[in-house]
Amino acid sequence: MDYQFIRNDRAEPAAIFEMGAETLGLWFSEELGRDRQKIHHLLDVIQQLEHKNIEQYALQGREFNMDLTRDEIEVYAAITRDEGEIDIPEDTELYDQESICGCGLEDFKEVLLSWQEFVGGM
């Protein structure tokens, strides 16, 4: 998974991920940001998953939610999982490639540790 961390025009940390994983970049940039407490909490959750103390974990955010399991994570825009009924024509397909993505738990942990290092140096 290709990604890079930058400082945006307001000197805030921002993550840019390859096509197909843009949602993960938005999650790092908008939901996680510099919140070191949240970073530590997620690393603790990952450790619990790795040691099989828990099977899954759900993290709700303002714009994006995250589901973590022992094998993978999935980040999705909160609106894509809205349980309310939407009145759309029967054969309509919704495009959600830019509002949902996932990756392996090990890969996510590696990116999260890199993010922790990046925002720690700011």
Side-chain angles (χ1 to χ4, degrees):
M1 172 173 17
D2 291 330
Y3 61 90
Q4 69 179 38
F5 301 142
I6 62 168
R7 294 177 193 200
N8 65 18
D9 56 350
R10 295 181 311 261
E12 295 174 0
I16 301 170
F17 280 73
E18 66 187 347
M19 183 180 272
E22 298 97 331
T23 306
L24 197 52
L26 291 171
W27 182 84
F28 272 96
S29 302
E30 297 176 17
E31 293 289 340
L32 191 55
R34 296 181 192 195
D35 190 339
R36 291 187 179 118
Q37 185 175 9
K38 198 172 194 177
I39 294 169
H40 289 293
H41 175 72
L42 278 168
L43 289 170
D44 182 55
V45 167
I46 291 170
Q47 184 175 21
Q48 290 180 53
L49 289 163
E50 291 174 334
H51 292 129
K52 300 183 181 190
N53 295 333
I54 60 175
E55 289 185 33
Q56 60 187 12
Y57 185 81
L59 180 66
Q60 292 187 340
R62 297 176 307 272
E63 300 284 330
F64 296 93
N65 297 330
M66 176 183 284
D67 292 334
L68 298 95
T69 68
R70 292 178 181 165
D71 297 319
E72 62 187 6
I73 66 101
E74 185 176 66
V75 174
Y76 53 92
I79 196 166
T80 62
R81 298 284 172 94
D82 187 356
E83 294 182 14
E85 300 231 358
I86 301 173
D87 189 24
I88 58 174
E90 186 174 317
D91 291 328
T92 302
E93 291 184 31
L94 297 177
Y95 178 75
D96 65 359
Q97 292 301 308
E98 293 177 0
S99 60
I100 187 169
C101 76
C103 69
L105 183 66
E106 188 175 315
D107 290 336
F108 177 72
K109 180 180 178 181
E110 180 181 313
V111 175
L112 183 60
L113 289 169
S114 294
W115 182 258
Q116 179 183 39
E117 184 177 328
F118 178 72
V119 298
M122 295 182 82

